[in-house]
Structure formats: C-alpha cells, structure tokens
Amino acid sequence: MSGPLLQVRDLHVSHRIGRRSLPAVRGMDLDVAPGEVVALVGESGSGKSSAVRGITQLIRPERGSVLLDGTDLVGLRGKALRRARRDIQMVFQDPYSSLDPSMSVAELIGEPLIVHTAQGRAERRRTAVEMLEMVGLRAEHADRYPHEFSGGQRQRIAIARALVLRPKLVVADEAVSALDVSSQNQVLALLQELIAELGVACLFITHDLAVVRQIADRVAVMYLGTLVEQGPADVLFDAPQHPYTRALLSAAPVADPVVQRSRQRVRLTGELPDPMNPPTGCVFSSRCPDAIARCHEEAPADRRPRPDSSVACHLVEADPALQPSLP
Ligand SMILES: Nc1ncnc2c1ncn2[C@@H]1O[C@H](COP(=O)(O)OP(=O)(O)OP(=O)(O)O)[C@@H](O)[C@H]1O
Ligand SMILES: [Mg+2]
C-alpha cells in the first residue's frame, strides 16, 4: 500500500494579536490517503480554518511538519513552495470574495495555468471551457463575470479553478456552507463526482454533520486546536467514542426518528474555552459530562480502540494489542 498523500504531524498554528499570540492549533496529527475524503469537523472557533491555513502555508506553522507526497511544505519558500502548491488547491466558503470580480470566468479558471504551465492564451481558454463544462456550466458562460452568477454557480467556478491543475489534494473550507440546501446538495454531488473521477483527495472542512455523512470516508473531530477523535465515517457516526463527538452528534438532527429517539442525548454546556487560556489536563475537561479528577490534571494520549481510529480520552478503552508496547 502507498503511504499517505498528506501527513500532518504536531502542527501548531498561532495568530498574532498585537504583541500576543493566540494558539489556534496545538499539536495536530492528520493523514489523508490518495483519493480519500477526510472531513474536519468541530464547532466555530475550534481551529479548523487555522489548521487549513497552516497546512496550505497561508500561515507559517509555528511548529510541526506538513508532508505532501513526502515533501515538507513547512520551510519551503519561493519557487519550491509554488511548485508544491500546485498539488494542493483550495475552495473557500465565499466565492464572491475569493473570485476576483474584475476577471471573466475563463480568466479566473485559466489563471492557475499561467503560473504553473506553459499554455498560451488560446490553449488556456480551451482548457477553461473544458473545465466549465465539467462543472456543469456552458461555454457561453466563459466571458461573463462572477457577479452574473448565482452562489451555487460561483462555487462551481471556484471548483473548476481548483481542479484545473489536476491537484492531488483539494482543501474545501466550508465550501457549501453559504448556499441554500438545494444548491448545497448539487454542489456537493458535483464535488464528490469530480474528486472520484479525477482521483483527487479532499480535506473537507465543515460544521454540518449531515454534509459529512454524505461525503466523508474518514472524519477528524477538532476541539480547541486539537483532534479529539478520528476514524472511518461510519464507525464514528455509529459508535462515537469521545464525549465531545457524542455531544456534537447528539446536537445534530437525524432523519430517522427511531434513531433520533433512541439516541443518548449529551448536552454541551458552556462555551468553547478561550484558546489563550485552555483548561489544564484534557482540553474538553471543562465541559465534559463524564470528567473524572484525572481529566483535569493530565492530558490524555491518543488511544486506538480500533486499528483505524484514535481517541484522546482517559475514559476510552484501548485495544491492548494496538498500543505501543512499553519499554
Ligand atoms: N486572523 C485571526 N487573528 C486572530 N485570531 C484568529 C484569527 N483567525 C482565527 N482566530 C482565532 O483562532 C481560533 C480558531 O479560529 P478558526 O477560524 O480557525 O476556527 P474555525 O473552526 O474555522 O471556526 P468557524 O467554524 O467559525 O470557521 C479562534 O479563537 C479565533 O478567534
Ligand atoms: Mg473556519
């Protein structure tokens, strides 16, 4: 088996606020395999976008490594970074602010080709029109401008632009969150179809668990700058292990009323703690309904209840066969 496409280790990302530094991501480990769709979920302010910015080098991580196909993006500069970035493209939440309003659709989709390929003007236009058709728009849209399109169509344009270089990884940060439900479903279905067809991996950031169910192979749950649980989507949805994952899932409505009724309700009380002033011990200890004394004193190491899952909680039983052996 080939190794992961993206391998994030001990990622730390901070924001400068005046002379202070706000730690938004504090030691994140995440793998994405080639062609895999991994959803990163967590409530607002948990650090999802900061993680994305650290992974794509829009913010320089304070610490840690981001290996893309074996190359560490952290520390790359100039030409080497531009070359590596070709393989990792982004789709943002709001295509209205991420698409330059003064450029035509063909120019927007063709722009990455200027930087990364030797294609001339006519060829770039041909490629852009091909991409337009691939995302369900038409050749005659090529000379129009972003404001002439609906939100869903603009997001299709953003997807075409992200895929035009055939990257290995697309990072979508709340890519459908600003759309109404029906365009949301259409854009999601399109994204899903294209990444499968092109064999692109996707790191999909969202706070909407219904969307996660629809699209993700694996899920990583973020809380206050750390990942508290990771695993295959069906395992995580059917048998969430971390008290925070259980709380997140029980807050989300389920279509099946039987499941909805039978589900254990876990209420989240209080607010996300201030990242400048995190709780001691487990990050979730200040809001955890199950916390014991140890949780307030000692941060839990990752446990592996299954070979493909990890959970950072003192209360979760690990499979002893899967733990690193003691020296
Ligand atoms: N540019 C910034 N400057 C200062 N602090 C920031 C900045 N961006 C984010 N933060 C802070 O970093 C923490 C993580 O924020 P982040 O935007 O990464 O969370 P998120 O999970 O993406 O939230 P949302 O679901 O609302 O998009 C928060 O405490 C936030 O206030
Ligand atoms: Mg965000």
Side-chain angles (χ1 to χ4, degrees):
M1 207 185 89
S2 61
L5 170 67
L6 179 74
Q7 189 171 38
V8 178
R9 288 296 176 271
D10 195 33
L11 183 73
H12 288 250
V13 178
S14 294
H15 299 288
R16 291 239 147 263
I17 307 178
R19 274 193 282 143
R20 302 217 294 165
S21 163
L22 183 142
V25 180
R26 298 181 301 135
M28 173 176 169
D29 292 346
L30 181 76
D31 287 356
V32 180
E36 186 179 44
V37 180
V38 176
L40 182 60
V41 304
E43 69 200 284
S44 183
S46 56
K48 304 181 296 293
S49 295
S50 304
V52 162
R53 299 176 80 81
I55 290 169
T56 54
Q57 307 304 302
L58 292 172
I59 300 181
R60 288 294 181 173
E62 275 195 322
R63 205 162 101 197
S65 57
V66 177
L67 299 181
L68 185 71
D69 246 353
T71 303
D72 193 353
L73 303 183
V74 180
L76 286 188
R77 302 261 181 285
K79 209 171 173 182
L81 181 60
R82 274 200 299 280
R83 196 176 316 127
R85 270 203 181 130
R86 180 188 171 134
D87 288 329
I88 172 167
Q89 296 290 325
M90 296 210 49
V91 180
F92 294 97
Q93 168 164 5
D94 179 7
Y96 213 41
S97 59
S98 62
L99 297 178
D100 184 338
S102 69
M103 289 169 78
S104 74
V105 169
E107 286 166 344
L108 282 165
I109 298 175
E111 190 185 36
L113 299 168
I114 302 177
V115 185
H116 291 286
T117 71
Q119 290 191 15
R121 182 179 276 276
E123 200 179 345
R124 286 201 305 271
R125 188 187 165 85
R126 258 197 315 278
T127 311
V129 168
E130 251 170 58
M131 289 307 299
L132 264 182
E133 287 167 349
M134 196 180 219
V135 297
L137 295 170
R138 292 188 306 277
E140 61 260 36
H141 290 130
D143 296 314
R144 302 217 191 136
Y145 290 83
H147 73 268
E148 300 176 59
F149 294 89
S150 69
Q153 288 172 322
R154 282 201 293 269
Q155 212 51 314
R156 287 170 191 266
I157 295 165
I159 291 171
R161 183 176 151 97
L163 292 175
V164 70
L165 292 168
R166 300 292 190 271
K168 293 176 179 152
L169 178 71
V170 168
V171 181
D173 190 352
E174 305 280 4
V176 298
S177 306
L179 306 177
D180 62 75
V181 176
S182 101
S183 354
Q184 212 174 58
N185 288 335
Q186 287 171 18
V187 173
L188 263 186
L190 171 76
L191 185 63
Q192 226 173 345
E193 187 188 307
L194 289 178
I195 55 187
E197 189 181 317
L198 302 175
V200 184
C202 181
L203 180 57
F204 193 91
I205 287 78
T206 180
H207 59 268
D208 185 341
L209 293 167
V211 168
V212 175
R213 247 185 206 285
Q214 196 173 333
I215 195 167
D217 300 315
R218 281 195 318 118
V219 182
V221 181
M222 193 157 199
Y223 186 83
L224 204 64
T226 67
L227 292 184
V228 294
E229 180 163 2
Q230 289 190 55
D234 49 349
V235 172
L236 195 124
F237 277 103
D238 293 345
Q241 301 282 311
H242 197 284
Y244 178 63
T245 313
R246 292 209 296 272
L248 260 192
L249 292 183
S250 80
V254 177
D256 182 344
V258 179
V259 175
Q260 175 77 39
R261 267 196 303 278
S262 70
R263 216 164 48 172
Q264 185 192 351
R265 305 291 297 180
V266 185
R267 219 169 285 283
L268 258 191
T269 52
E271 309 219 315
L272 194 65
D274 177 0
M276 296 269 204
N277 207 350
T280 52
C282 171
V283 279
F284 190 52
S285 58
S286 62
R287 294 165 86 192
C288 183
D290 305 330
I292 56 173
R294 185 180 179 197
C295 305
H296 298 287
E297 289 152 12
E298 185 194 330
D302 282 340
R303 287 156 172 70
R304 316 197 65 182
R306 300 160 38 104
D308 47 5
S309 301
S310 82
V311 187
C313 175
H314 288 304
L315 303 170
V316 169
E317 288 283 343
D319 178 340
L322 297 170
Q323 298 314 299
S325 54
L326 295 170

